[in-house]
Amino acid sequence: MFWFLLIAMVVVVAAVTLAVIGGGDSEVLPEVAPEQLVDPLPRTRPVDREDIEALRLPVTARGYRMADVDDVLGRLGAELAERDARIADLEAALAGGHGGPGPSSGPSLRKDEGPQR
């Protein structure tokens, strides 16, 4: 029994050694190409809620790729700034078009008094 176990151990060690050293030019595990973000945000229209919900950033060994995250956040920040400016323009046009107070102004309330009747 001892000789059988010794021969089996020698065969296993030899097989592992040949597999590691004599593997040839092929690698044991081929290099995987890093996952790249294919910009899923539309270029022809503004980003909407469904685009953000469908967005999946590629993960790396230490988390998310900073360049991809910076690109997405920069794009979203620019679109939000553009929308805020558009909303401000529309509110200014609405307030100026009626010649009176804007839509957000109503009866004034102070903390110590209720609505004016």
Side-chain angles (χ1 to χ4, degrees), residues 75-90:
R75 170 88 187 273
L76 292 175
E79 286 206 16
L80 287 174
E82 184 178 317
R83 287 182 186 177
D84 288 345
R86 177 77 174 143
I87 289 170
D89 289 345
L90 291 172

Side-chain angles (χ1 to χ4, degrees), residues 21-35:
I21 295 174
D25 292 335
S26 66
E27 298 176 19
V28 177
L29 293 174
E31 283 292 322
V32 177
E35 189 178 347

Side-chain angles (χ1 to χ4, degrees), residues 3-68:
W3 288 107
F4 175 73
L5 290 175
L6 184 63
I7 291 171
M9 187 173 71
V10 168
V11 168
V12 169
V13 169
V16 169
T17 303
L18 286 175
V20 171
I21 295 174
D25 292 335
S26 66
E27 298 176 19
V28 177
L29 293 174
E31 283 292 322
V32 177
E35 189 178 347
Q36 297 291 324
L37 175 68
V38 178
D39 190 9
L41 299 176
R43 295 272 180 210
T44 58
R45 62 176 173 77
V47 175
D48 59 14
R49 181 179 178 155
E50 289 80 25
D51 295 326
I52 301 302
E53 289 175 353
L55 179 65
R56 298 292 176 260
L57 297 171
V59 179
T60 62
R62 297 182 308 175
Y64 294 104
R65 293 179 46 137
M66 289 192 296
D68 291 339

